[in-house]
Amino acid sequence: EIVLTQSPVTLSLSPGERATLSCRASQSVSSYLAWFQQKPGQAPRLLIYDASNRATGIPARFSGSGSGTEFTLSISSLEPEDFAVYYCQQRSTWPLTFGGGTKVEIK
Amino acid sequence: EVQLVESGGGLVQPGGSLRLSCAASGFTFSSYSMNWVRQAPGKGLEWVSYISSSSDTTYYADSVKGRFTISRDNAKNSLYLQMSRLRAEDTAVYYCARDSGVGSFQGWFDPWGQGTLVTVSS
């Protein structure tokens, strides 16, 4: 099973600041990595797939990069609605697995 | 509008059984693979099971293998999860999620339903 490790666990930032979230895989997943956003009481929403492709309707301030075992989700300038929990997920190998999540909170 | 609506959750005793349903609308259900993903209270996401569009391929997480069965009825636009021998650690919100690829596996969950809560407790 591929283990995805996300860091930091919590990121405290102010609106307008840049957020950088990390996801590390225990073995190569090529570019088969996605990012999801989850707000309290809501289902997750797909943001990024194939490491760097934005899903339909996702604002351009969200970007993904990386390949192999190291991946990054960047939010260029945090909007109030961006404070949430973010998960990475790999589809390279069964079972499909998620990282433990990074909470982006208001500083 | 694409919609996924789960139902069937509730309180069940350890060792008991429960069947979850997911009603799909707004897209050609028979063209997409589907998944169940769960989230224990206050915890992260865990993929549970996958079924291909024609039901010829299924996968399960080790934690549920042999106890859960995924199925679908394309004529009814519905996805199911039959859960048996339930344990306390199966307590979670269960989401159904569509695979993002039409006609072929992509492995991304998009969109998700709102979830249904399963509580396993005596």
Side-chain angles (χ1 to χ4, degrees), chain B residues 10 13 22 24 55 67 70 72 88 103:
Chain B
Q13 292 189 339
C22 172
S55 302
R67 300 187 300 122
I70 192 171
R72 64 190 295 162

Side-chain angles (χ1 to χ4, degrees), chain A residues 58-71:
Chain A
I58 301 304
R61 64 181 181 272
F62 291 92
S63 64
S65 64
S67 66
T69 61
E70 300 283 344
F71 299 88

Side-chain angles (χ1 to χ4, degrees), chain B residues 4-10 18-23 36 78-81 83 94 96 114-118:
Chain B
L4 299 169
V5 180
E6 302 93 336
S7 60
L18 209 57
R19 188 197 198 202
L20 304 183
S21 299
C22 172
W36 288 98
S78 292
L79 174 72
Y80 306 102
L81 186 68
M83 304 185 294
Y94 285 73
C96 68
Q114 87 290 348
T116 187
L117 176 62
V118 173

Side-chain angles (χ1 to χ4, degrees), chain A residues 31-34 36 38 42-46 49-50 55 87 89-91 94-96 98-100, chain B residues 35 37 39 43-47 50 59-62 95 100 105-110 112-114:
Chain A
S31 294
Y32 297 134
L33 191 105
F36 294 85
Q38 187 178 33
Q42 296 185 16
R45 176 175 69 146
L46 177 67
Y49 64 95
D50 289 341
Y87 294 95
Q89 176 241 327
Q90 66 81 22
R91 57 135 285 189
W94 297 97
L96 307 181
F98 290 90
Chain B
N35 298 269
V37 180
Q39 186 170 35
K43 302 297 184 182
L45 301 168
E46 179 187 18
W47 169 79
Y50 162 92
Y59 294 107
Y60 298 91
D62 284 346
Y95 296 99
S100 58
F105 170 75
Q106 290 295 317
W108 313 129
F109 309 114
D110 183 40
W112 301 54
Q114 87 290 348

